Amino acid sequence: NQYEADFILLYGGISRANNQIETIDNVAWTEAQKTQRNQLLGEAFFMRGFYTMLLTQMYGDVPLITSTTITEEMQQQVSAEEFIYPQILSDFVSAKNLMKPERANGSGHADKFCAEAFIARG
Protein backbone atom coordinates (compact mmCIF):
# COMPACT_ATOMS: atom_id res chain seq x y z
CA ASN A 1 0.00 0.00 0.00
CA GLN A 2 1.50 3.33 -1.11
CA TYR A 3 0.00 5.29 1.78
CA GLU A 4 1.64 2.98 4.29
CA ALA A 5 4.97 3.22 2.44
CA ASP A 6 4.81 7.04 2.46
CA PHE A 7 3.99 7.01 6.17
CA ILE A 8 7.01 4.79 6.93
CA LEU A 9 9.38 6.78 4.69
CA LEU A 10 8.39 10.13 6.19
CA TYR A 11 8.77 8.90 9.75
CA GLY A 12 12.16 7.45 8.73
CA GLY A 13 13.18 10.95 7.65
CA ILE A 14 11.96 12.39 10.93
CA SER A 15 13.97 9.77 12.81
CA ARG A 16 17.16 10.70 10.91
CA ALA A 17 16.55 14.41 11.54
CA ASN A 18 15.97 13.77 15.26
CA ASN A 19 19.17 11.74 15.40
CA GLN A 20 21.16 14.56 13.81
CA ILE A 21 19.62 17.17 16.13
CA GLU A 22 20.42 15.09 19.21
CA THR A 23 23.94 13.99 18.23
CA ILE A 24 25.39 16.92 16.28
CA ASP A 25 27.48 18.03 19.23
CA ASN A 26 29.09 14.60 19.57
CA VAL A 27 31.59 16.10 17.13
CA ALA A 28 34.25 18.39 18.57
CA TRP A 29 33.43 21.41 16.40
CA THR A 30 36.07 24.10 16.20
CA GLU A 31 35.12 27.76 16.20
CA ALA A 32 35.93 27.84 12.48
CA GLN A 33 33.42 25.03 11.89
CA LYS A 34 30.57 26.67 13.81
CA THR A 35 28.90 27.93 10.61
CA GLN A 36 28.97 24.43 9.13
CA ARG A 37 27.56 22.94 12.35
CA ASN A 38 24.75 25.49 12.42
CA GLN A 39 23.94 24.86 8.76
CA LEU A 40 23.73 21.09 9.31
CA LEU A 41 21.62 21.52 12.44
CA GLY A 42 19.35 24.00 10.64
CA GLU A 43 18.90 21.55 7.77
CA ALA A 44 17.90 18.83 10.24
CA PHE A 45 15.28 21.11 11.84
CA PHE A 46 14.05 22.07 8.37
CA MET A 47 13.71 18.47 7.24
CA ARG A 48 11.93 17.42 10.45
CA GLY A 49 9.45 20.25 9.97
CA PHE A 50 9.03 19.47 6.28
CA TYR A 51 8.44 15.74 6.79
CA THR A 52 6.02 16.45 9.65
CA MET A 53 4.17 18.93 7.45
CA LEU A 54 3.84 16.36 4.66
CA LEU A 55 2.57 13.73 7.09
CA THR A 56 -0.02 16.13 8.46
CA GLN A 57 -1.14 17.18 4.99
CA MET A 58 -1.50 13.55 3.93
CA TYR A 59 -2.97 12.00 7.09
CA GLY A 60 -4.24 14.80 9.35
CA ASP A 61 -3.69 14.13 13.05
CA VAL A 62 -0.60 11.93 13.41
CA PRO A 63 1.88 11.04 16.16
CA LEU A 64 4.29 13.91 16.82
CA ILE A 65 7.81 12.48 17.07
CA THR A 66 10.45 14.98 18.23
CA SER A 67 13.00 12.64 19.76
CA THR A 68 14.83 9.42 19.00
CA THR A 69 13.49 8.06 22.29
CA ILE A 70 9.88 7.29 21.48
CA THR A 71 7.53 7.04 24.43
CA GLU A 72 4.10 5.44 24.41
CA GLU A 73 2.60 8.92 24.62
CA MET A 74 4.45 9.98 21.46
CA GLN A 75 2.89 7.10 19.53
CA GLN A 76 -0.60 8.55 19.96
CA GLN A 77 -2.19 10.77 17.35
CA VAL A 78 -2.33 14.40 18.42
CA SER A 79 -4.24 17.40 17.16
CA ALA A 80 -2.57 18.98 14.16
CA GLU A 81 -3.94 22.41 15.05
CA GLU A 82 -2.99 22.29 18.71
CA PHE A 83 0.35 20.46 18.66
CA ILE A 84 1.70 19.59 15.22
CA TYR A 85 1.49 22.90 13.37
CA PRO A 86 3.13 24.84 16.22
CA GLN A 87 5.98 22.27 16.20
CA ILE A 88 6.37 22.57 12.42
CA LEU A 89 6.57 26.35 12.72
CA SER A 90 9.08 26.05 15.56
CA ASP A 91 11.27 23.74 13.45
CA PHE A 92 11.20 26.13 10.49
CA VAL A 93 12.06 29.10 12.76
CA SER A 94 14.96 27.14 14.29
CA ALA A 95 16.14 26.29 10.77
CA LYS A 96 15.91 29.93 9.67
CA ASN A 97 17.87 31.11 12.68
CA LEU A 98 20.66 28.56 12.17
CA MET A 99 21.14 28.42 8.41
CA LYS A 100 22.96 30.86 6.21
CA PRO A 101 21.22 32.29 3.17
CA GLU A 102 23.80 31.54 0.49
CA ARG A 103 24.01 27.74 0.72
CA ALA A 104 21.41 26.36 -1.66
CA ASN A 105 22.08 27.77 -5.13
CA GLY A 106 20.92 24.57 -6.80
CA SER A 107 22.75 22.26 -4.39
CA GLY A 108 19.54 20.60 -3.23
CA HIS A 109 20.12 21.77 0.35
CA ALA A 110 17.70 23.89 2.32
CA ASP A 111 18.80 27.39 3.20
CA LYS A 112 17.56 30.32 5.28
CA PHE A 113 15.32 31.60 2.47
CA CYS A 114 13.71 28.20 2.05
CA ALA A 115 12.84 28.09 5.76
CA GLU A 116 11.48 31.66 5.58
CA ALA A 117 9.28 30.66 2.63
CA PHE A 118 7.72 27.83 4.63
CA ILE A 119 7.24 30.13 7.64
CA ALA A 120 5.39 32.54 5.36
CA ARG A 121 3.11 29.71 4.18
CA GLY A 122 2.11 29.02 7.78
Side-chain angles (χ1 to χ4, degrees):
N1 178 332
Q2 186 59 45
Y3 289 111
E4 185 176 316
D6 291 341
F7 192 84
I8 291 167
L9 287 171
L10 291 169
Y11 272 113
I14 290 170
S15 175
R16 288 186 298 279
N18 284 333
N19 186 58
Q20 183 162 330
I21 291 165
E22 291 175 15
T23 64
I24 196 158
D25 287 324
N26 290 354
V27 173
W29 299 97
T30 66
E31 191 59 36
Q33 295 171 317
K34 186 175 180 182
T35 300
Q36 179 183 11
R37 176 226 179 251
N38 288 346
Q39 179 67 29
L40 294 171
L41 183 57
E43 288 178 21
F45 276 112
F46 178 84
M47 294 309 299
R48 183 173 75 182
F50 182 69
Y51 291 141
T52 303
M53 182 187 73
L54 291 177
L55 276 165
T56 304
Q57 288 175 343
M58 292 171 73
Y59 302 104
D61 295 346
V62 295
L64 179 60
I65 308 295
T66 58
S67 171
T68 57
T69 305
I70 300 174
T71 64
E72 187 174 320
E73 183 180 274
M74 289 173 107
Q75 295 177 21
Q76 305 301 314
Q77 290 180 328
V78 296
S79 165
E81 291 297 320
E82 190 175 350
F83 298 106
I84 298 174
Y85 288 126
Q87 181 62 51
I88 292 169
L89 181 60
S90 174
D91 284 347
F92 287 148
V93 168
S94 293
K96 175 189 80 81
N97 290 337
L98 287 161
M99 291 190 292
K100 55 186 179 182
E102 64 274 357
R103 171 78 184 251
N105 298 331
S107 69
H109 288 264
D111 63 17
K112 181 178 190 134
F113 299 132
C114 190
E116 288 175 341
F118 277 91
I119 291 167
R121 282 182 66 181

